[in-house]
């Protein structure tokens, strides 16, 4: 399930891409499939072991275009072990809401981007996130969880203050927002609640089948209650 629109953040052979806060690697895998060199970066060593194993499996199955490479690095988003101007593209998907000093993380993104390089920054959208916080204390007080709710204007202003040129934006995952509202209402860890379980099965079916009806529904819902907002930025040349 991708949050970033690769039509807006094109990547391909010859590009070096950083997937910052890569987690399970969903965006890193797509970047590798497109023939770019990708570095999946996260502080969770176990996640990076899993991503590295998937990179190897993709290569074995012939899913990696010739010349493309996938690497993993464990580290801190506030002190990344990369030289200045190392990457043509940076993806930071659902990362900044976890970091107390988000401006320092943004400055690191600027530092490792090449002049003229582009990035996609995604965070939870304001309205869906505000409802989740109102419904559940556990949702946002779990260690390592979300510590802030961004308005779009605040996120854009902080990115500009970090030295980035802000471009377009869009919302994503409108069908997922009701699921999280249900989870927050019945208990974030209560995966066996009948309503939560049924909606989760619907989402899995949608991801696997992608029928036209749900694609149209999500297109309508995204601007209204999209779970994530994606902002596209550029480092001045």
């Amino acid at each position: 399930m991708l949050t970033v629109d690769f039509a807006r953040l094109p990547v391909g052979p010859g590009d070096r891409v950083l997937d910052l806060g890569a987690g399970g690697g969903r965006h890193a895998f797509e970047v590798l499939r497109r023939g770019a060199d990708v570095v999946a970066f996260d502080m969770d060593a176990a996640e990076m072991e899993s991503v590295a194993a998937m990179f190897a499996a993709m290569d074995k199955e012939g899913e990696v275009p010739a010349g493309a490479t996938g690497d993993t690095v464990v580290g801190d988003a506030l002190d990344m072990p990369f030289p200045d101007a190392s990457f043509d593209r940076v993806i930071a998907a659902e990362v900044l809401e976890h970091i107390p000093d988000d401006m320092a993380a943004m400055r690191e993104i600027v530092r490792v981007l090449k002049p003229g390089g582009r990035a996609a920054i995604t965070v939870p959208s304001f309205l869906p996130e505000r409802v989740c916080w109102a419904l559940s204390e556990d949702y946002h007080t779990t260690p390592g969880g979300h510590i802030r709710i961004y308005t779009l204007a605040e996120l854009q202003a902080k990115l500009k203050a970090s030295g980035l040129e802000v471009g377009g934006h869009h919302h994503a995952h409108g069908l997922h927002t009701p699921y999280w509202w249900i989870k927050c209402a019945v208990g974030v860890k209560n995966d066996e609640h009948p309503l939560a379980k049924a909606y989760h099965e619907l989402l899995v079916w949608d991801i696997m089948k992608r029928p036209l009806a749900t694609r149209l529904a999500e297109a309508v819902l995204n601007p209204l209650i999209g779970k994530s907002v994606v902002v596209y930025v550029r480092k001045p040349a």
Side-chain angles (χ1 to χ4, degrees), residues 32-99:
L32 188 58
R33 289 188 186 99
R34 290 170 178 262
D37 299 324
V38 62
V39 176
F41 182 86
D42 201 286
M43 67 188 304
D44 189 324
E47 288 272 38
M48 291 302 91
E49 287 182 10
S50 177
V51 171
M54 181 59 74
F55 282 157
M58 289 172 63
D59 187 45
K60 185 176 180 180
E61 293 298 317
E63 295 182 34
V64 179
T69 61
D71 295 313
T72 60
V73 176
V74 177
D76 187 343
L78 302 185
D79 186 22
M80 292 191 283
F82 307 117
D84 296 354
S86 296
F87 296 96
D88 302 284
R89 303 284 187 268
V90 172
I91 296 169
E94 314 296 295
V95 174
L96 295 177
E97 69 275 11
H98 297 274
I99 301 175

Side-chain angles (χ1 to χ4, degrees), residues 15 29 38 62 73 87 157 166 174 176 187 201-202:
D15 289 329
F29 302 146
V38 62
V73 176
F87 296 96
V166 175
H176 290 247
E201 290 174 356
L202 170 66

Side-chain angles (χ1 to χ4, degrees), residues 9-177:
L9 188 78
V11 301
D15 289 329
R16 190 165 188 246
V17 183
L18 173 66
D19 186 3
L20 171 59
R26 59 197 174 104
H27 287 104
F29 302 146
E30 180 63 21
V31 169
L32 188 58
R33 289 188 186 99
R34 290 170 178 262
D37 299 324
V38 62
V39 176
F41 182 86
D42 201 286
M43 67 188 304
D44 189 324
E47 288 272 38
M48 291 302 91
E49 287 182 10
S50 177
V51 171
M54 181 59 74
F55 282 157
M58 289 172 63
D59 187 45
K60 185 176 180 180
E61 293 298 317
E63 295 182 34
V64 179
T69 61
D71 295 313
T72 60
V73 176
V74 177
D76 187 343
L78 302 185
D79 186 22
M80 292 191 283
F82 307 117
D84 296 354
S86 296
F87 296 96
D88 302 284
R89 303 284 187 268
V90 172
I91 296 169
E94 314 296 295
V95 174
L96 295 177
E97 69 275 11
H98 297 274
I99 301 175
D101 192 351
D102 59 340
M103 292 289 290
M106 293 179 196
R107 289 191 292 270
E108 272 291 270
I109 290 171
V110 175
R111 183 184 68 79
V112 301
L113 260 179
K114 295 178 181 179
R118 298 180 181 274
I121 313 296
T122 97
V123 299
S125 300
F126 178 82
L127 176 60
E129 189 75 349
R130 178 62 73 188
V131 173
C132 285
W133 282 45
L135 288 172
S136 171
E137 186 79 9
D138 289 341
Y139 176 82
H140 65 94
T141 58
T142 302
H146 300 180
I147 63 170
R148 71 173 58 81
I149 303 175
Y150 289 98
T151 64
L152 176 59
E154 177 192 0
L155 178 60
Q156 291 173 324
K158 285 185 170 183
L159 291 168
K160 288 178 182 178
S162 301
L164 293 164
E165 298 173 350
V166 175
H169 72 274
H170 63 85
H171 292 79
H173 311 316
L175 286 176
H176 290 247
T177 293

